Every structure is written in structure tokens, then in C-alpha cells.
Amino acid sequence: MTGVCAAGPEIGPFFESNHPFFQSQVEVFAPEKGKLTGENFVVRGILLPLPSGHCVLFDQELLRVAAIWRVPPGGPPVTPTTMAQISYASLRRKAGAEHPRPTGPVLVSSDVHPGVASEPTAWRHDPRPPAGAGEAGRGALPAAQARFEGIELAGTTAVLCYEVGGTKVREWHEAQAVGPGIRVWRHFEVAAHAAPLVFAVGRGREPAVSLASNSGALVIGGPAGDDGATLAPSADLQRVSVAYAFDAHAAAAVLAATPPRPKPTGGLRWPGTATAGVQLAALARNGLVLDRIATPDENPWHRLVRAADLAFLSDDRAAVVTYDGDVWVVDGWADPQLARLTWRRFASGLHEPLALVAPQGVIQVATKNGVVRLYDRDGDGEADWVENFSDQMLQSQTTRSFPLDMALGPDGSTYVTQGGIVTRSGMPAGGEGTAHAGAVVKISPDGRTAQAVATGAREPFVTVHPRTGLVTATDQQGHFIPSSACYVVRPGDDFGYPRAQPEKLTPPLVWIPHEQDTSSASELWMVGEGMGAWNGRLLHLSYGTSRLLLISPDLGAPVAQGAVIPLDFQTDLPLLHARMNLRGDAVAFAGLQIYGTRATVNWSLGRLRPGGGEITTALAARSCADGVVLEFAAPLDPASLGPEKVTARAWNYRRSAAYGSGRYALDGEAGLTPWGVAQTVLSADRKAVFVHLPKLPSVAQLEVRHDFRLASGTAAQGVVYFTVNRPRPLDLGAAGFGGVDLTKQPVVAVPAQEAPASAAIGQAVAERLGCAACHSVDGTTEGKVGPTWKNLFGAKRVFVDGTSEVADAIYLRAKILDPQEKKMKPGLVEMPSYRGVVSEQQLESVVLYIQSLASEPGTKKAGR
């Protein structure tokens, strides 16, 4: 079984001892102040562990060695506190406000300014625009001044490649034993340059630390200051070095000449392969088949394979990226039976990557250090060149600002999204975020420029139609985002999160009800002739419920709007991304879970393909001023239609700075508005139904449930959710519904009498609404953001203002309806309001269910 860790195979360390680099954020500790100062925060750091036990921290954005420290024997180079690092061995642990710090004493550090410059007066000035309050994420230096090019891997050495004012510089590091002491070298290979170059070399943090140059061409001190070095102009390539000595023995030793730059050795870092099982046809229904693909968690390197995304390089080969920074190449996809998928490690050390694409077969990964491209230049099967394709997207220092998704435009551009959850939403993550937090960012085809196309999203995912270039994005519940949503993205759009009062809010293409999708992930245009009736449909993934849905856009409406069609397809996978294979006959999934989802596996891959019998749900839907049209893949039985076969109800949400929203009837009161059905009309080809809903108004959510039958006799039951931003006219005759009598009056279905409230009904309601994603019923709290329901009833609850209440029936009702009123933790985002979502009987039943989980009556121990 994939995604099992605790009782599964032995796992190795997150930071592997034989890898020459790791990308990570790092906050350097200032020993003389005895605390973190924030004065030396590296948002895009490159950790360079040396065999001596020292670690060099290189700042990719400012091109400086930010610090050197001694790592405790057998320990990691930094404290493992980012989300990927801290959850690696404990799958449900989440990162908070803390950032990785050096694990040993800092011996050398440098100030926060450019580490190299071609202008002697410019190197102490940081030219980057300031970020938000408390935010260190200011981005890369202007490309005209300097640019990081990438990392070349040469055996156990990482060669850092950058250019300064057009001059190419190659830098690598080496440790040398000198008697009982250690010397660390910074080696430089610098192309010919007509003007002096200034390098920041830093200062020793201990009296015993000394710096020296091995060449008269590189002078430490002087006009550059005691923490700088000036390299004289040269018409030829230069090799020079700076030595950092950590005791008198190393300082007194004769300095050596700079060695030639290391070159890739061609030897494999990870020889061998791994395999894992495939469960064909694990789920087959509604015209679709899901194959479950395990990851090789038992592998020679004892490495977790927490798959986050994948992309196809050929018909037979795909690249898979893991949240822990690895890229694997997987062969065997051309076999329809997936009889043998062979996994090979290709790259490692990347900074919390979650998205991968493959433009022209090149592996491109979105990381916190920027968008990188991976190349195997010596052809040995492993990456030896990590190209900095683009670091123009601003990376926030906040711990949850992940590069969530990435999509390619038909013009060669790249769209990237970054999580927007920062301190303004209550997460004390060390800043207010950058201008790109919560944005959809478009990167130019050459990677040199980036523009925020849309802003104000909470956790956005993005997709682009491969032919038309239409950009859509999903988001999850948050400020001014009352429910999960799909948007058509246009320049200047603002989705509202976490604005105090947005000037203009972009209307969604569709809202998605909470019970269908508690947390949206990516979408995919299933473009491929091999997909049959699914070809051209927009597939929507729900991370929160593990379900598949279709988005049916109506882009011809005065304001773009659409419909959501649940496919009655519960995958049990933590769905994050979906990618088409190159043959256009299957979709591949990848995903892992740390935050709540209904999936039971921790990570997995999957393959979705046509098959599995008849398609019984609608394939497309649209609304008009007089009702809705539902389109099916196969002809319907005319005798199965009738207004009594359809029920409709409508509700609105309230977009506000509050988290989420209840449901409100069209008169503004909490609840739902039933809408009468006048008639159902079958199209001439019998594949579409016009459901007559007279005088249909603008409404955030219109739910239409149908109970039809296909001509084959198979039941065609389902539900479709519409967002009607503005009712539009429809030529019914041209749509295949000739001679429709629109004077018919609606029939409003009388709601069925509800059974008395009970704990059993409450349990069913909780399961339908996905409450288990945040609340356990067995007392466990790992991976849950809400309190366990076991023994919650009767427990003392303490609020941030110091007051307290007993969790009785009155308290629980209030918490379900108005969860923001009494907060349990400072800044904590409480759950959404269920006002109008659950009926009085359902509300009482949920309370009874929670009460039934109490082992004994009375007051339990205090909880927060």
C-alpha cells in the first residue's frame, strides 16, 4: 500500500549526507545577541554541506555567502522546521512561524546586501524594492546588475554559476584539513572583465576566524572594507580563492593555488532502480476507470516518495516530483497494463516543490527557490545542471507561501501560483507576504520577467487551455471567498483574500458547495481524442473530498458563469495535480496529504481513463433566463422525464472579511429557497434536457437534482450546481428544443417531513460534510486543525480573552453556526459557518452525535 510510513519501510534522513546541495530558507542566529535578529534571513538559500562537517549557506538572490557554520556530528545542517522537513518523518506535523536555523555555531556571516558587484560603490546597496512589513522576500537582484544561472553538479561538489554585469563567475567550496584545524575555501573562476569586481567575504564570528586570499589579484579589505575583497581586472580567465581559517594552525599554513573548476564525473549518484505495484481498475464507474499506482517507498535509498506532481516526457516516460525535493523518472507508461513501472532517481535537493511541467520534454519544477529546469548533460541518467530558469516570482518568507501550481501557455509562457496564507490571515509566519503571495503570476517564455495577472487568492491552483490559452484558477474558502471556487483569470482580477475591503471583487465562474469540495486543487482540460466523450472537458480535482468534478463554463454569458457537475467518483486519493499523457487517452494524478482530506492514503499516483460502463451524469450544463440545459453522453428515455423528476433550490453567499459564509435564501434569511420546476423538455437528439425554471434570477448557487433514465434503461441520477452571475437569453429552438411553451407555471416540490433528530443522522451529516478532515472521533489530534470530538461534549473550553465555557449543546450549536465569535487560539482561522447549510434537525443531530462520543457526563479537562 502506498503512502504508509509509520509501520512501513525504514526511511533515511531528509538531508542525505552524500548530496552536494539543498535549497532551503534559513534564518541565521546571531550569537552575540542571543536571539534571532532577522538581520540575516535568506529566503532562497543553498545549503552546501562539506565533508569536514561545515556548511556554507549561499544566498541565491543576493549572490553572497550568508554564513558558514559547523554542523554537529550526524546532525542535519539546519533545524528541520519547514513543512516538508518537519513532516518527513512525522507525516501530519505542520510548520508554524519558525524557520530553519544553523544547527551549529556560526563562524562567518555577511550583511544583507549584494555579495558581488561590478561597481565598487554599489555592492553595499540593496537595490531591490522593499517588501511588506516584516517580510524578507524581496526577490532577485536586477538582471542587469547580476543574475544567478544555476548549479552544476560535479561529483560531491556543487558549482554555483552566476554572472555579474555580464561577467561569468563560477564558485565552489572545499574543506581542507590543516594539522588539527580546518580551512574552508571559496574558489572562484572568473571570466575576463575590464573593471574590478567586488565580492562580499563576510566577517568571522569568533576571534580565531581569519580570512586570507591566495592571489595578489584578489585583495581583502582596503576600499572594499574588512568584509569585502576586490578582484583586479583581467583580460584572461582568473582562478582565485578566499580561505577561511578557524584556528591558528590553518591560518599559518601556506595557501595553495586555486584548483581547476570541477567537472561532472559521469558517475551515478543513485545507481539502481525501484519498482512498485499497480492496482488496475481500482474504481470503475460513470464511464471512467481509475488505476491506483503505488510509489516505491521501499527503495535502495530509504527515501520517501511523497509524490506531488508529474509530467510526461514521452509516451513511455514521466517525471515525478516529490514534496521532499526529489525528481524521479518513471518508465513503462506505454504499456496499457502498467505491468512494470521502473523508477530512477534523477535529481534531489529542491526546495519544497509541488508542481512540475515538461515544456518540449524538459523537466521544469516550481520550487521556493524559483522555477528550475533540470538537465542531464552528460547522458548518465541523472541531472547535473540545475538551471535557474526564473526567480522573478517573489517568494515570501512565510511558511505556507508554497508555489502550488504551474501551467504552460500555448505562447511558451509559464503561469505559477503561490499560496496567500500569511500573517494577515492569522498565521504568525514572519511577515505579511510579498506582492506575489496569493497571486497568479505569468512568467515570460525566456523566464526573465514576471507579472502578477491576478491577486487576492488564498490557495490558488491554475490551468491553461493548451489551444486557446484560457486561464482558469481554483481557490478554497477564505476572506471574501465564501466557498471553493473556479475563476476565469483576466489581468487585474482581485479575489479578495485577505483584503480588509477590496475595491473590486472578481465574480467566480462557479462557486462549489462545501460538501462537494472542501478544498480545491488543480484543474485539467482533458484534450485528447482518446478520451472519447470526455475530450475537451474541464476536470476539477477536490483535494478535500478526493472527488472528481467537471466545470462547464459559459464564456458567452454577459458575465462568465458556469456549472459544476460532480461525477460520482470518489477516488480516495489526495488529489493535487492532474496531467494528460501525450497520447491523449489518459489522465495521471499525483498528490500527498499533510492538511486534512478525506483520502485515507498519504500519497499516491493514479491513472484515469475512459471505460467503466455508461456515463450517467451530465457532461455539460448551462443556465439561461428560463431555466437550465443538461447535456448527456447518451440518449435519454423520454418516459423518464417530467417536472417531478427534478428538484431545484437556490441560495446566496455573503462575501465579507469573515472566513467562509453560511447559506442565505433569496430573501436574505439563513437557509435555502426552493425553486419550482415547470417542465422538462427533451432535445431532438434526446441527449439534452431543458429544465424550465421560470424567472430564474441571478444567484450564487442553484442546485438542480435529476432522476432520469438512459435509453438503455440505466439510471441517470445526479446533481448539477450553477452559478448565475447574470441570466442570459437562450434560443431554445437553435439549441434543439423547438416549440417550448414558456407560459407553463412551476410546481414547487413539498419538502419531505424530516425524521426526529438522532446521533445516527448526525454521524451521516458529519460524514457528508467532511467534518473528519479537521476533527477526529477517536481522540487523535495529529494532522487535525480542530479539536477531537471524543470527549468534547462537557469539556471546558478556554478562549483567547481568558473566558471559558463548557461545551454543552448551546455552545456546540453556536460554534457550528457562528464559529468566528469565540476564538480558541490567537489568529486561528476557525471553521466556516454552517448557518443555512444544515437544517434544524441536522444541527441537533450533529450535537447529539458529538454528545454520544463523550465517555462520561460532566466536565472534562480544559482544552484550547
Side-chain angles (χ1 to χ4, degrees):
M1 176 128 177
T2 190
V4 176
C5 175
E10 176 188 354
I11 62 170
F14 181 88
F15 295 103
E16 295 178 292
S17 60
N18 64 344
H19 199 63
F21 82 94
F22 301 95
Q23 299 173 336
S24 181
Q25 291 183 348
V26 182
E27 189 164 18
V28 177
F29 188 78
E32 71 279 9
K33 297 185 179 181
K35 61 181 180 179
L36 289 171
T37 66
E39 296 172 0
N40 198 358
F41 194 102
V42 181
V43 176
R44 287 174 167 155
I46 301 174
L47 298 169
L48 303 162
L50 301 179
S52 63
H54 293 80
C55 185
V56 177
L57 170 62
F58 187 80
D59 185 335
Q60 176 182 318
E61 296 187 325
L62 288 172
L63 305 181
R64 66 187 176 109
V65 168
I68 302 174
W69 62 88
R70 188 180 296 111
V71 179
V78 292
T79 55
T81 56
T82 68
M83 187 81 73
Q85 297 164 5
I86 204 168
S87 66
Y88 184 73
S90 183
L91 300 179
R92 294 294 182 273
R93 290 193 66 188
K94 302 174 178 64
E98 292 188 357
H99 298 276
R101 309 168 189 170
T103 50
V106 175
L107 304 172
V108 176
S109 65
S110 65
D111 295 332
V112 182
H113 55 63
V116 63
S118 57
E119 295 284 341
T121 60
W123 78 289
R124 290 192 184 277
H125 169 66
D126 189 345
R128 302 173 299 170
E135 173 61 68
R138 297 174 63 178
L141 292 170
Q145 179 174 338
R147 185 178 187 274
F148 185 70
E149 294 179 318
I151 306 171
E152 184 178 65
L153 299 180
T156 59
T157 303
V159 179
L160 307 174
C161 304
Y162 50 94
E163 61 176 39
V164 184
T167 301
K168 291 189 178 298
V169 179
R170 302 293 181 259
E171 175 178 342
W172 65 101
H173 307 86
E174 178 186 3
Q176 179 186 36
V178 180
I182 294 291
R183 176 190 291 158
V184 169
W185 288 95
R186 285 184 70 188
H187 297 307
F188 300 94
E189 182 181 270
V190 185
H193 53 106
L197 295 180
V198 180
F199 292 88
V201 294
R203 297 184 177 90
R205 289 292 194 182
E206 298 178 358
V209 177
S210 61
L211 283 68
S213 166
N214 73 341
S215 170
L218 182 66
V219 178
I220 296 176
D226 63 353
D227 61 342
T230 303
L231 180 64
S234 174
D236 301 311
L237 182 143
Q238 294 171 289
R239 292 195 184 100
V240 296
S241 302
V242 173
Y244 299 84
F246 301 128
D247 54 42
H249 295 280
V254 176
L255 298 180
T258 302
R261 173 165 59 94
K263 299 294 180 67
T265 61
L268 289 176
R269 194 178 311 278
W270 306 291
T273 61
T275 60
V278 175
Q279 183 185 1
L280 291 174
L283 178 62
R285 61 185 301 121
N286 197 35
L288 292 168
V289 175
L290 176 70
D291 306 315
R292 291 179 59 158
I293 303 169
T295 54
D297 300 322
E298 294 190 22
N299 57 71
W301 311 282
H302 305 291
R303 193 70 173 162
L304 291 187
V305 191
R306 297 197 290 175
D309 198 2
L310 78 167
F312 287 90
L313 310 176
S314 69
D315 285 347
D316 196 52
R317 172 171 288 185
V320 175
V321 67
T322 75
Y323 188 41
D324 308 300
D326 301 322
V327 174
W328 298 68
V329 171
V330 186
D331 292 310
W333 294 88
D335 179 3
Q337 299 301 309
L338 300 181
R340 183 177 177 82
L341 288 177
T342 303
W343 295 67
R344 293 177 175 85
R345 290 190 71 176
F346 183 74
S348 190
L350 304 180
H351 191 185
E352 295 191 323
L354 282 172
L356 183 149
V357 293
Q360 290 79 52
V362 175
I363 298 174
Q364 178 174 307
V365 186
T367 77
K368 281 190 173 181
N369 274 46
V371 178
V372 301
R373 287 183 172 178
L374 305 175
Y375 295 90
D376 173 18
R377 297 193 296 192
D378 62 7
D380 67 356
E382 295 179 359
D384 49 33
W385 174 238
V386 182
E387 178 193 6
N388 173 33
F389 172 67
S390 182
D391 54 8
Q392 294 302 297
M393 183 177 187
L394 300 176
Q395 176 58 50
S396 172
Q397 75 186 63
T398 57
T399 56
R400 287 185 65 180
S401 287
F402 306 114
L404 290 170
D405 204 1
M406 180 168 51
L408 299 173
D411 63 349
S413 58
T414 297
Y415 291 83
V416 183
T417 58
Q418 184 182 129
I421 297 179
V422 294
T423 48
R424 288 170 292 179
S425 66
M427 290 294 293
E432 291 189 354
T434 70
H436 290 166
V440 177
V441 177
K442 182 179 182 181
I443 298 173
S444 60
D446 63 1
R448 297 305 176 96
T449 61
Q451 175 189 9
V453 179
T455 57
R458 186 173 188 264
E459 292 289 281
F461 288 75
V462 65
T463 191
V464 181
H465 194 287
R467 295 172 184 168
T468 67
L470 178 72
V471 182
T472 62
T474 70
D475 206 358
Q476 60 178 236
Q477 208 162 41
H479 292 66
F480 290 100
I481 307 169
S483 191
S484 294
C486 171
Y487 298 91
V488 172
V489 177
R490 297 186 172 92
D493 281 349
D494 186 349
F495 308 126
Y497 182 88
R499 313 281 195 256
Q501 184 57 58
E503 294 182 5
K504 181 181 179 181
L505 279 171
T506 299
L509 183 71
V510 288
W511 295 114
I512 307 172
H514 197 66
E515 63 265 27
Q516 294 293 339
D517 181 15
T518 57
S519 178
S520 294
S522 194
E523 295 181 336
L524 174 74
W525 289 98
M526 296 183 288
V527 176
E529 295 299 325
M531 293 302 295
W534 304 101
N535 182 21
R537 313 293 177 181
L538 180 57
L539 182 68
H540 176 97
L541 309 186
S542 172
Y543 172 79
T545 64
S546 301
R547 291 175 177 166
L548 302 181
L549 306 95
L550 287 185
I551 304 295
S552 185
D554 182 2
L555 304 179
V559 178
Q561 57 194 27
V564 180
I565 306 170
L567 294 181
D568 188 26
F569 207 89
Q570 183 82 41
T571 68
D572 195 32
L573 303 178
L575 300 170
L576 280 179
H577 295 104
R579 307 290 182 185
M580 284 296 304
N581 69 1
L582 299 185
R583 294 194 307 270
D585 61 4
V587 175
F589 299 130
L592 74 156
Q593 62 164 308
I594 297 176
Y595 282 90
T597 168
R598 296 186 196 176
T600 60
V601 297
N602 293 315
W603 59 87
S604 188
L605 302 179
R607 181 178 67 172
L608 186 74
R609 50 193 170 90
E614 297 175 287
I615 301 173
T616 59
T617 58
L619 275 180
R622 53 180 165 164
S623 64
C624 64
D626 302 301
V628 300
V629 174
L630 309 178
E631 300 178 14
F632 293 83
L636 294 166
D637 178 2
S640 70
L641 272 61
E644 72 281 1
K645 298 294 186 178
V646 179
T647 59
R649 54 184 188 170
W651 65 88
N652 284 314
Y653 301 110
R654 289 181 181 172
R655 301 190 75 170
S656 71
Y659 179 83
S661 171
R663 294 178 181 177
Y664 296 90
L666 301 191
D667 61 4
E669 297 295 321
L672 312 172
T673 300
W675 206 261
V677 180
Q679 59 186 319
T680 55
V681 182
L682 193 61
S683 64
D685 65 359
R686 299 197 298 166
K687 291 185 177 182
V689 178
F690 169 63
V691 179
H692 185 194
L693 305 171
K695 299 179 181 179
L696 188 65
S698 297
V699 66
Q701 207 85 83
L702 171 70
E703 176 191 86
V704 177
R705 293 186 177 272
H706 60 84
D707 185 6
F708 303 145
R709 191 170 57 249
L710 299 179
S712 64
T714 302
Q717 299 172 327
V719 59
V720 181
Y721 297 93
F722 297 85
T723 293
V724 186
N725 289 320
R726 188 181 303 171
R728 62 170 300 186
L730 177 66
D731 186 336
L732 292 173
F737 306 99
V740 177
D741 180 6
L742 294 177
T743 65
K744 289 191 175 183
Q745 296 302 303
V747 176
V748 179
V750 178
Q753 189 71 29
E754 289 187 321
S758 68
I761 293 175
Q763 181 177 4
V765 171
E767 291 173 353
R768 178 174 62 84
L769 295 177
C771 301
C774 297
H775 306 279
S776 77
V777 296
D778 60 2
T780 59
T781 57
E782 187 74 17
K784 306 294 184 181
V785 297
T788 180
W789 283 359
K790 184 176 179 61
N791 292 330
L792 174 61
F793 191 89
K796 184 180 179 182
R797 309 295 288 164
V798 181
F799 310 121
V800 294
D801 62 1
T803 62
S804 64
E805 287 185 22
V806 172
D808 55 13
I810 296 175
Y811 168 86
L812 292 174
R813 287 174 62 92
K815 205 64 180 171
I816 293 169
L817 297 179
D818 298 300
Q820 309 297 326
E821 292 298 317
K822 296 181 179 180
K823 291 186 177 291
M824 308 300 296
K825 292 182 180 180
L828 180 67
V829 175
E830 301 280 354
M831 69 181 189
S833 169
Y834 285 87
R835 185 176 297 278
V837 179
V838 293
S839 67
E840 178 62 30
Q841 175 250 29
Q842 292 170 331
L843 177 61
E844 185 179 349
S845 294
V846 171
V847 172
L848 289 173
Y849 175 50
I850 296 174
Q851 184 176 358
S852 73
L853 298 171
S855 58
E856 59 184 31
T859 301
K860 308 298 185 295
K861 66 180 180 179
R864 290 182 181 271

